């Protein structure tokens, strides 16, 4: 019988290690690579790296905006629902106006 990893934290660590091993993150600054790894974790596409372009300083600017209380704008209700509110630095509002006229 196959031994399954059952520890949540260990599964999480292994998942991110697998993404880093299977994805080419060489084009990204370390802070952007961290974001790209999370994006891959969310969608399961290790080739996502070919579609990501980031402006220098974008991660610092985004973190500063979130810490200042900026809202998060989403273009899909599923994305808005998937944001872990307790991890937001300033109880940021999460907005998706897709259903509004």
């Amino acid at each position: 019988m196959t031994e399954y990893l059952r520890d949540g934290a260990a599964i999480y660590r292994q998942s991110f290690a697998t993404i880093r091993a299977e994805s080419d993150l060489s084009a990204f600054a370390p802070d952007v690579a961290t974001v790209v790894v999370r994006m891959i974790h969310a969608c399961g596409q290790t080739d996502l790296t070919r579609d990501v372009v980031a402006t220098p300083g974008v991660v610092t600017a985004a973190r500063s905006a979130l810490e200042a209380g900026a809202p998060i704008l989403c273009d899909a209700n599923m994305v808005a629902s998937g944001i872990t509110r307790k991890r937001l630095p300033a109880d940021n509002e999460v907005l998706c106006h897709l259903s509004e006229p």
Side-chain angles (χ1 to χ4, degrees):
M1 180 172 190
T2 303
E3 285 294 319
Y4 289 100
L5 189 56
R6 299 185 189 283
D7 175 56
I11 293 168
Y12 209 63
R13 280 191 303 276
Q14 181 60 48
S15 176
F16 282 96
T18 300
I19 291 167
R20 288 188 176 283
E22 294 183 6
S23 302
D24 180 8
L25 301 166
S26 63
F28 304 109
D31 60 346
V32 175
T34 299
V35 173
V36 173
V37 167
R38 287 213 167 262
M39 292 168 64
I40 293 169
H41 188 259
C43 71
Q45 294 176 256
T46 56
D47 64 344
L48 181 71
T49 56
R50 294 187 296 226
D51 299 317
V52 176
V53 177
T55 303
V58 68
V59 174
T60 300
R63 285 189 176 142
S64 293
L66 289 173
E67 289 167 1
I72 298 172
L73 306 175
C74 302
D75 65 351
N77 289 314
M78 188 171 85
V79 172
S81 296
I83 294 174
T84 306
R85 298 333 196 250
K86 69 180 182 180
R87 298 194 70 190
L88 297 175
D91 196 27
N92 306 73
E93 190 173 13
V94 179
L95 304 170
C96 181
H97 297 293
L98 192 61
S99 303
E100 297 177 17

